[in-house]
Amino acid sequence: MGTESPDDTFDPTRPHAARVYDYLLGGKDNFAADRAVGDQIIARLPEVQVGVQAQRAVLNRVVRYLVGEAGVRQLLDIGSGLPTSDNVHEIAQRTGPGTRVVYVDNDPVVLAHARAILSDQAATFAERGDLLDPASIVASPAVREHLDWTKPIGLLLCGIVHYVLDEENPEGLIAELIAALPPGSYVFIHHLLDTGDSAAAELQAQMLNGLGRVKFRTLEEVRRLFGDLELMPPGLVPVAEWRPDRATIPARYRLVLSMACAGVGRKA
Ligand SMILES: C[S@@+](CC[C@H](N)C(=O)[O-])C[C@H]1O[C@@H](n2cnc3c(N)ncnc32)[C@H](O)[C@@H]1O
């Protein structure tokens, strides 16, 4: 994949972030090339699957927080990934029936699966789009029509921004999205962390080798991605510490869970 932009044509011989992630989650929507990258990562970091489960778990908690506590009734999920056991629209519908959800991803396989499972879901819509081109996401007629841009929107950027390289200006891309959001909107970011630890550096090297692009960032770098949004308690924290359902983490999982952070900011 080199350092070119994420692929927009389907090629099962090239590993893809969405499908490697699906494999690590125990899904079936992946190919041999994806499984090879996943197996290499598992061989070096056997607890990696706890990390990806923690990513799904924090996404679940954030959706419950936004819909259940903050009263948001529309979600824009960019980098939504392949359908898995508990999807954003299902959690949102359970928490706040009628919540509208737009899924955006640049992987055609993700879109094909999303559209198949959503064929009977009027409140949820899937659209092809690229985080590298935020203007075209917010200007897309379908996205504009499906969401009410005069009311707060919850923007979900879960496990996607670390696939945007520094030279692609992730801060500027997110600032463009924030500028388009109505007041009272929220932005959730889950991001892989440059902890300074050799295990995180090794995971980054393996993902870079397998997927061709990834950039772990420090907590301060991730904080800057929120611009001047106010961070909701508990702030930007290691993934398992964001409003946890369970208080304690087994010691053997602390290292892998230190490699990602999560935070939710609110636009005044
Ligand atoms: C690791 S998956 C995360 C899926 C889901 N958000 C979650 O956290 O469980 C990352 C997703 O981001 C998508 N992605 C990566 N770069 C993207 C981009 N520039 N624009 C849109 N989607 C992108 C991939 O196709 C993949 O589905």
Side-chain angles (χ1 to χ4, degrees):
M1 215 192 288
T3 53
E4 79 239 40
S5 73
D7 50 345
D8 60 358
T9 52
F10 171 54
D11 176 358
T13 66
R14 288 200 307 179
H16 190 284
R19 304 189 287 264
V20 173
Y21 182 72
D22 174 73
Y23 176 59
L24 293 175
L25 277 171
K28 298 201 172 1
D29 299 317
N30 49 69
F31 299 93
D34 308 305
R35 294 192 284 275
V37 172
D39 285 339
Q40 279 160 17
I41 295 174
I42 293 168
R44 301 305 284 267
L45 183 65
E47 310 81 36
V48 68
Q49 284 154 308
V50 174
V52 295
Q53 282 155 12
Q55 178 171 334
R56 289 303 302 180
V58 75
L59 176 61
N60 184 310
R61 299 198 296 280
V62 166
V63 172
R64 283 190 273 132
Y65 167 75
L66 291 178
V67 178
E69 294 188 39
V72 172
R73 285 292 180 273
Q74 5 184 41
L75 301 172
L76 176 57
D77 183 1
I78 304 182
S80 47
L82 286 155
T84 179
S85 66
D86 210 6
N87 296 295
V88 163
H89 71 282
E90 293 161 334
I91 302 160
Q93 288 299 333
R94 271 202 310 273
T95 314
T99 300
R100 299 182 81 77
V101 176
V102 174
Y103 288 130
V104 174
D105 205 288
N106 68 352
D107 179 17
V109 176
V110 167
L111 264 292
H113 281 276
R115 290 197 170 127
I117 63 160
L118 295 175
S119 55
D120 58 347
Q121 290 267 339
T124 308
F125 183 81
E127 169 88 340
R128 182 90 173 267
D130 199 317
L131 180 58
L132 301 184
D133 186 4
S136 71
I137 295 176
V138 296
S140 141
V143 171
R144 294 224 74 82
E145 275 163 32
H146 196 74
L147 302 178
D148 177 350
W149 289 78
T150 67
K151 298 210 174 99
I153 292 172
L155 171 62
L156 308 178
L157 297 171
C158 189
I160 177 175
V161 187
H162 44 247
Y163 293 113
V164 179
L165 307 177
D166 286 344
E167 54 270 36
E168 293 165 334
N169 188 16
E171 218 171 311
L173 297 171
I174 296 172
E176 250 187 84
L177 290 169
I178 292 172
L181 292 174
S185 291
Y186 292 81
V187 177
F188 163 52
I189 299 176
H190 163 289
H191 201 294
L192 293 175
L193 265 188
D194 172 0
T195 56
D197 188 277
S198 60
E202 192 173 329
L203 178 61
Q204 173 170 238
Q206 284 210 312
M207 288 178 70
L208 194 57
N209 185 39
L211 296 170
R213 59 160 60 224
V214 76
K215 173 71 169 107
F216 287 30
R217 296 190 168 89
T218 64
L219 209 56
E220 281 88 85
E221 288 170 329
V222 179
R223 175 64 188 91
R224 282 203 290 277
L225 298 173
F226 288 92
D228 58 9
L229 298 188
E230 178 198 359
L231 284 182
M232 298 294 101
L236 182 65
V237 292
V239 63
E241 291 173 27
W242 199 89
R243 301 172 71 96
D245 289 328
R246 265 184 302 156
T248 51
I249 301 168
R252 65 186 184 285
Y253 297 149
R254 288 209 185 109
L255 178 66
V256 73
L257 295 175
S258 72
M259 294 181 199
C261 64
V264 172
R266 182 176 184 275
K267 179 172 173 173

